[in-house]
Amino acid sequence: MCQAVEQSVRERGGKPLCLLQLQLDWFLEVGEVEKMASEDITKLAESLAKAQVGGGQLSFKGKSLKLNTAEDAKEVSKEIEEFDGLEALRLEGNTVGVEAAKVIAKALEKKAELKRCHWSDMFTGRLRSEIPFALTALGEALITAGSQLVELDLSDNAFGPDGVRGFEALLKSPACFTLQELKLNNCGMGIGGGKILAAALKECHRKSSAVGKPLSLKVFVAGRNRLENDGATALAEAFGLIGTLEEVHMPQNGINHPGITALAQAFAANPLLRVINLNDNTFTEKGAVAMAGTLKTLRQVEVINFGDCLVRSKGAITIAEAVKEGLPKLKELNLSFCEIKRDAALTIAEATEDKSELEKLDLNGNALGEEGCEQLQEILEGFNMADVLGSLSDDEGEDEEDEDDEGEDEEDEDDEGEDEEEEQQQLQERGQGEQESLPSKKILDSHDSTPVSPPPPPVDVATFLAFPSPEKLLRLGPKCSVLIAQQTDTSDTEKVVMALLKISSVFKDETTVKTAVHETTDALMRKAFISATFNSDAFITSLLIHMGLLKSEEKVKAVPSLYGPLMTLNHMVQQDYFPKSLAPVLLAFVTKPNRALDSCSFARHMLLQTLHQL
């Protein structure tokens, strides 16, 4: 009889699981199976078959369902409704429209037991404007149900800042007072989305604390979101309040030392931190010093990933001091591709002497030289830790120390320049009201002999194109679009391509910068495309070459980042001046696999989505 039950379950594609499995086991144990009627066996088998996976989890993962309408979602909705004790719902690898989301949401309104929402990659091909409405419907359902979420994963959904608005109310609600894991990897949130998210987390913490159950978030994942300094700083404030984080993953976010410093201060307030992943941001010495100070105070850290973070030698030495003085449970340390020289790398190795739990030390891609690599291995062999050292196959070779010092000094000067520009921008944003309340220059002169810093020098088109930055573009004034178009020879496709790439390189999600980039692009490209002498085919060919998407017989250095160009193209192809005949060419090359596109999947997705709709 037992075989009959198991066979019946298999025929329905299910597996005997959970409570139903325990019921079957009980029947077997007490010998009741022999007494069960065949119809009872059938019912039990059907119940077991419906329980597709264990732990109260219902999965539609990777089924490539295209749920556009309410009708399309009926079957999914029915399965959700009929699934008793639903604790986890997997919708990854499908595409859900607004109307379909509303139907699924209706089914979720009665699922108070739901704790885990695995909803990554569930809006493939959707308009960015659709996603917030779908997320809002699903979030409202969870609030109505009285769910108490433990995990929310919305990674790999290109919803941008507006998408964060779609689940903002959910994050602030009692449904998220119990949240432990929040995963938002590769969502294109930008600075704006980061700020909205941070405010929602702070509000959640405030409300949950008021009822005696403060938010105890343990895992936060938000890599590849272009949060930059402002977004990271806003989130750091939330982290400092929460204080329970165990894992933070924020790689590839364009964060420089001000944002890194803010995060370091927040990490100090989270003594349970075990994993810190800030790969592919930019520390420099200032950020490294701040982070090293925090690391000295943390006792639970097991994994540190600062690879490709431009820590450099001075920064690496400060981190080595932190390793030597603290971090008793350290298992992995990644400082690969950080422009670290031999002596600093050896200092790091020496600092690991007492780290008995260390399993991996990654110093690949630095500048140790052959002799330095050998010395590194010898040090670790002396500690009987040779097996923890990762590959050094991409070592850049040893450079002259003078060059290193000069390079670091230049980097420090660049950092100071960035600080000055940020301060100038903040002063400008304060407005005329505050300026009127400042003391006059005469009063300042009579009390303070310190010379007043001169205003930033005026910017012309040539200066912007030579050294482009968002600040310089804005300082060109309201006529920047006209000025650049006027001073660019549109009969020369190469000059047009270079001007476009310089303009698009400063693209940011901030409204003022984005608007300036769009307006300047429109003025330049409208003038070019309406010109009878402009060769559109030559333009698109040259553009693809400079973006690294098309090979050239001549050696051409591709632009370092495609995010700005892709986001600018996404705007450009929708304008009336853009020849629709070029769209298929762009589509073919942006669709084709290319490493240069991997780090900007959000921008790539946005452009592909637009091109498909043309």
Side-chain angles (χ1 to χ4, degrees):
M1 188 65 71
C2 175
Q3 291 178 348
V5 175
E6 292 181 349
Q7 179 63 30
S8 185
V9 171
R10 289 195 185 96
E11 287 173 356
R12 290 165 175 76
K15 299 177 183 178
L17 301 163
C18 307
L19 182 60
L20 295 169
Q21 176 64 60
L22 292 174
Q23 292 174 350
L24 178 58
D25 290 343
W26 180 83
F27 279 121
L28 290 170
E29 184 177 341
V30 299
E32 288 295 314
V33 172
E34 297 298 336
K35 301 177 184 178
M36 290 172 64
S38 60
E39 61 184 34
D40 294 329
I41 295 173
T42 302
K43 288 180 181 178
L44 181 56
E46 287 177 350
S47 297
L48 288 170
K50 285 181 180 178
Q52 297 176 6
V53 289
Q57 177 173 282
L58 178 60
S59 177
F60 298 95
K61 182 178 179 180
K63 292 191 174 182
S64 301
L65 300 175
K66 295 182 179 179
L67 308 178
N68 300 316
T69 65
E71 184 67 27
D72 294 338
K74 272 188 176 180
E75 186 59 36
V76 172
S77 175
K78 182 182 177 184
E79 289 196 45
I80 292 172
E81 287 176 352
E82 295 178 352
F83 196 105
D84 293 330
L86 180 64
E87 295 183 8
L89 178 62
R90 307 196 77 103
L91 292 173
E92 310 104 306
N94 300 289
T95 177
V96 182
V98 177
E99 295 307 314
K102 289 178 180 178
V103 173
I104 293 172
K106 193 68 178 175
L108 290 174
E109 288 180 355
K110 298 178 182 178
K111 300 298 177 182
E113 305 94 338
L114 186 61
K115 292 180 174 62
R116 298 183 182 275
C117 298
H118 302 282
W119 294 351
S120 63
D121 189 23
M122 59 177 278
F123 296 112
T124 303
R126 297 289 164 191
L127 291 173
R128 183 167 161 179
S129 57
E130 287 183 87
I131 300 175
F133 295 103
L135 289 172
T136 299
L138 293 167
E140 288 176 350
L142 297 177
I143 296 171
T144 301
S147 300
Q148 293 186 320
L149 295 184
V150 172
E151 180 178 0
L152 177 61
D153 186 355
L154 292 170
S155 299
D156 300 316
N157 289 310
F159 47 60
D162 294 338
V164 185
R165 293 285 189 198
F167 60 93
E168 179 184 16
L170 173 63
L171 284 179
K172 294 178 179 179
S173 76
C176 284
F177 288 0
T178 51
L179 194 65
Q180 295 181 12
E181 299 182 31
L182 180 58
K183 300 174 182 178
L184 299 165
N185 200 56
N186 191 32
C187 293
M189 290 189 291
I191 294 171
K195 289 181 176 180
I196 297 168
L197 176 62
L201 288 173
K202 288 193 287 186
E203 182 69 4
C204 181
H205 185 267
R206 185 188 69 78
K207 288 182 176 179
S208 58
S209 298
V211 295
K213 297 180 179 179
L215 172 67
S216 299
L217 192 67
K218 293 181 180 179
V219 178
F220 180 83
V221 181
R224 299 170 72 172
N225 271 292
R226 295 191 67 81
L227 295 169
E228 300 184 19
N229 289 333
D230 289 348
T233 300
L235 285 166
E237 291 179 12
F239 296 164
L241 281 176
I242 294 168
T244 56
L245 288 167
E246 296 180 12
E247 295 186 26
V248 175
H249 302 264
M250 297 174 66
Q252 295 183 358
N253 269 298
I255 307 170
N256 298 325
H257 71 82
I260 297 297
T261 300
L263 288 172
Q265 293 168 350
F267 292 166
N270 287 265
L272 300 178
L273 265 174
R274 293 185 299 102
V275 179
I276 304 174
N277 178 5
L278 295 175
N279 187 283
D280 199 6
N281 289 291
T282 306
F283 279 47
T284 64
E285 184 184 354
K286 293 180 181 179
V289 168
M291 191 60 69
T294 289
L295 292 177
K296 290 178 182 179
T297 69
L298 298 175
R299 311 297 294 174
Q300 305 299 322
V301 173
E302 298 176 2
V303 178
I304 296 172
N305 186 346
F306 297 158
D308 203 12
C309 281
L310 202 65
V311 169
R312 293 198 161 190
S313 296
K314 292 178 181 178
I317 290 172
T318 64
I319 291 174
E321 291 172 359
V323 172
K324 189 176 183 65
E325 295 177 22
L327 303 171
K329 297 184 178 181
L330 187 63
K331 293 182 179 179
E332 294 185 22
L333 176 60
N334 184 348
L335 290 171
S336 60
F337 299 94
C338 281
E339 295 191 10
I340 299 171
K341 302 298 182 181
R342 179 184 62 182
D343 291 347
L346 298 181
T347 302
I348 294 167
E350 290 167 350
T352 66
E353 180 177 3
D354 297 325
K355 304 305 162 190
S356 58
E357 297 187 31
L358 190 66
E359 297 172 359
K360 184 176 180 181
L361 174 62
D362 191 348
L363 290 169
N364 198 19
N366 289 299
L368 282 67
E370 185 176 346
E371 184 179 346
C373 290
E374 291 175 358
Q375 290 176 326
L376 184 66
Q377 291 167 337
E378 288 173 3
I379 289 172
L380 292 171
E381 285 173 1
F383 301 155
N384 197 25
M385 297 170 62
D387 57 331
V388 307
L389 183 62
S391 169
L392 297 172
S393 59
D394 293 319
D395 186 73
E396 295 290 337
E398 189 172 14
D399 293 334
E400 292 294 330
E401 290 299 321
D402 290 344
E403 291 179 7
D404 175 52
D405 294 341
E406 181 182 339
E408 295 203 27
D409 290 341
E410 288 174 359
E411 184 66 33
D412 291 341
E413 288 173 10
D414 290 343
D415 291 340
E416 290 169 9
E418 287 176 12
D419 292 341
E420 288 172 7
E421 285 185 355
E422 287 176 12
E423 288 170 10
Q424 279 292 340
Q425 191 173 357
Q426 289 169 3
L427 287 171
Q428 291 170 8
E429 289 172 353
R430 289 176 184 170
Q432 293 297 321
E434 288 193 22
Q435 289 178 14
E436 291 171 3
S437 66
L438 292 174
S440 68
K441 186 177 185 297
K442 288 182 180 179
I443 296 174
L444 285 173
D445 289 343
S446 64
H447 289 85
D448 189 356
S449 61
T450 304
V452 178
S453 299
V459 175
D460 56 22
V461 171
T463 302
F464 167 74
L465 293 177
F467 304 100
S469 72
E471 293 75 18
K472 289 191 182 77
L473 181 62
L474 295 176
R475 277 162 55 193
L476 279 171
K479 294 185 179 180
C480 62
S481 57
V482 177
L483 292 172
I484 292 177
Q486 286 177 344
Q487 297 185 38
T488 302
D489 181 4
T490 52
S491 64
D492 188 331
T493 55
E494 192 67 15
K495 288 182 179 179
V496 174
V497 168
M498 296 312 297
L500 175 62
L501 290 174
K502 293 295 179 68
I503 295 165
S504 64
S505 71
V506 306
F507 179 92
K508 295 176 74 173
D509 290 317
E510 295 174 12
T511 303
T512 52
V513 178
K514 179 164 50 174
T515 301
V517 170
H518 287 172
E519 290 177 351
T520 308
T521 298
D522 289 342
L524 172 66
M525 298 314 302
R526 190 182 299 278
K527 177 186 175 185
F529 282 124
I530 64 174
S531 171
T533 59
F534 188 69
N535 188 328
S536 299
D537 292 334
F539 163 78
I540 200 69
T541 300
S542 177
L543 180 63
L544 290 168
I545 289 172
H546 283 283
M547 289 175 68
L549 304 181
L550 178 64
K551 289 184 179 180
S552 171
E553 293 181 2
E554 300 177 2
K555 189 173 182 180
V556 176
K557 186 177 180 180
V559 294
S561 171
L562 290 183
Y563 181 80
L566 289 173
M567 293 299 285
T568 304
L569 279 170
N570 183 54
H571 166 81
M572 200 169 91
V573 299
Q574 300 178 64
Q575 308 311 307
D576 56 4
Y577 60 76
F578 184 80
K580 296 300 182 277
S581 60
L582 298 183
V585 180
L586 262 182
L587 181 62
F589 281 93
V590 178
T591 304
K592 188 178 178 182
N594 191 302
R595 284 186 179 181
L597 295 166
D598 290 344
S599 62
C600 44
S601 56
F602 170 75
R604 180 189 197 181
H605 170 82
M606 294 295 296
L607 178 56
L608 285 174
Q609 186 173 265
T610 302
L611 290 171
H612 278 297
Q613 292 166 0
L614 292 178

